[in-house]
Amino acid sequence: MEGGGTLPEALKEERKLGHILPTSSEASSVKRSPWGFLLTGIVGGALVAVYAVATPFITPALRKICLPFVPATSKQIENVVKMLRCRRGPLVDIGSGDGRIVIAAAKEGFSAVGYELNPWLVWYSRYRAWQEGVHGSARFYISDLWKVTFSPYSNVVIFGVPQMMPQLEKKLELELEDDARVIACRFPFPHWIPDHVTGEGIDTVWVYDVSTFRGREKRP
C-alpha cells in the first residue's frame, strides 16, 4: 500500500503527536472529574436550602383557610394596647406573626402567648422577646389555631381574614369564659356586635366582651 506505513502504525504516530481524540474510556474518566461532583453537590445543596426556607411559607397557603403574615402597624399595636387597659389575665395572639402584639402586651405586664404556624416567625419572635427583655412573659408556639383550646385565656387578639372569621367566631364562643375579651384587627366578626371600636382604616380595632354577646343571646 502506498502512503507509507500501515493504518495501525499511522494511528500510533498520530497518537504520539497528540492529534487523535481520546478513547471512550478516557472520555468517561474526564467526565467524572471532581469538578463535576462539586458542581452537582453545590446545586443540590442550594435546592435543599431553598426548600427548607420556603416550605414554612408555602405550606400555610395550601390550607383551606390561609392566615397570611402581614406585620401589624405601630398604630394597630397602639390601639390594641389601649383596649387592653384595665384588663387582667393571660393573653393570646392567634396567628402571632413576628410577635409584635405579644411582646407589646408583655411589656404592659400581661402573660402573653402567641400561636403561629410558620416556624421561622416563631423562632424570630422568641429572639425578639429575648432582645426586648420579656422572654419570661412572652411565649411562642408552633401550632395550628384550630387545634388550640382558648379557654385558659382572658384576652384574645386576632388578625384574621374574612373567610375564617365565621368559623373562629363559633370556636371562641364555645371555649371562652364570660369575662373574656376578644380584640379583632383589620376585619370584624360577622355576627357579634362590638362593644368598642377604635382606629380608622386598616388600623381599626373591634372589641367584643363575651359576657355582652352571651347576654344578648339569653334575652327572650
Side-chain angles (χ1 to χ4, degrees):
M1 176 183 290
E2 295 182 358
T6 63
L7 182 60
E9 291 175 349
L11 290 172
K12 289 179 181 179
E13 187 64 25
E14 290 184 8
R15 193 171 181 81
K16 288 179 181 179
L17 295 174
H19 295 157
I20 192 168
L21 294 172
T23 63
S24 60
S25 61
E26 291 171 333
S28 63
S29 65
V30 171
K31 292 179 181 178
R32 291 195 299 267
S33 68
W35 290 107
F37 287 114
L38 179 61
L39 181 60
T40 302
I42 292 174
V43 172
L47 291 174
V48 170
V50 170
Y51 175 81
V53 172
T55 297
F57 292 91
I58 295 173
T59 301
L62 299 177
R63 294 175 175 268
K64 188 174 182 180
I65 299 177
C66 175
L67 188 60
F69 168 56
V70 180
T73 67
S74 57
K75 190 62 178 178
Q76 285 172 333
I77 297 173
E78 180 184 325
N79 289 337
V80 170
V81 170
K82 183 167 67 173
M83 292 296 102
L84 289 172
R85 284 174 187 158
C86 300
R87 295 284 303 170
R88 296 180 180 178
L91 176 143
V92 61
D93 184 9
I94 302 175
S96 54
D98 61 1
R100 299 182 187 196
I101 293 292
V102 173
I103 291 172
K107 288 181 177 180
E108 295 293 321
F110 288 91
S111 174
V113 173
Y115 289 101
E116 170 62 48
L117 263 181
N118 191 316
W120 295 101
L121 291 175
V122 170
W123 295 330
Y124 176 74
S125 299
R126 291 170 179 170
Y127 166 74
R128 289 285 297 138
W130 172 81
Q131 192 178 47
E132 295 289 336
V134 292
H135 56 282
S137 54
R139 292 165 293 149
F140 300 91
Y141 300 101
I142 303 170
S143 184
D144 186 335
L145 70 90
W146 305 111
K147 298 178 181 178
V148 177
T149 300
F150 297 107
S151 55
Y153 302 102
S154 301
N155 304 281
V156 178
V157 181
I158 172 68
F159 281 76
V161 292
Q163 298 91 328
M164 69 179 291
M165 299 305 268
Q167 187 176 348
L168 182 60
E169 186 179 66
K170 294 178 181 178
K171 178 177 174 62
L172 294 177
E173 192 167 346
L174 288 172
E175 295 179 358
L176 294 179
E177 299 293 335
D178 286 342
D179 61 348
R181 168 170 285 188
V182 181
I183 301 176
C185 306
R186 292 203 177 98
F187 297 100
F189 285 96
H191 302 112
W192 295 345
I193 299 174
D195 293 273
H196 309 279
V197 179
T198 186
E200 297 178 352
I202 63 170
D203 297 326
T204 303
V205 166
W206 294 265
V207 179
Y208 307 88
D209 290 327
V210 176
S211 59
T212 301
F213 63 71
R214 280 192 181 150
R216 291 193 183 104
E217 291 174 356
K218 293 176 182 178
R219 290 174 188 171

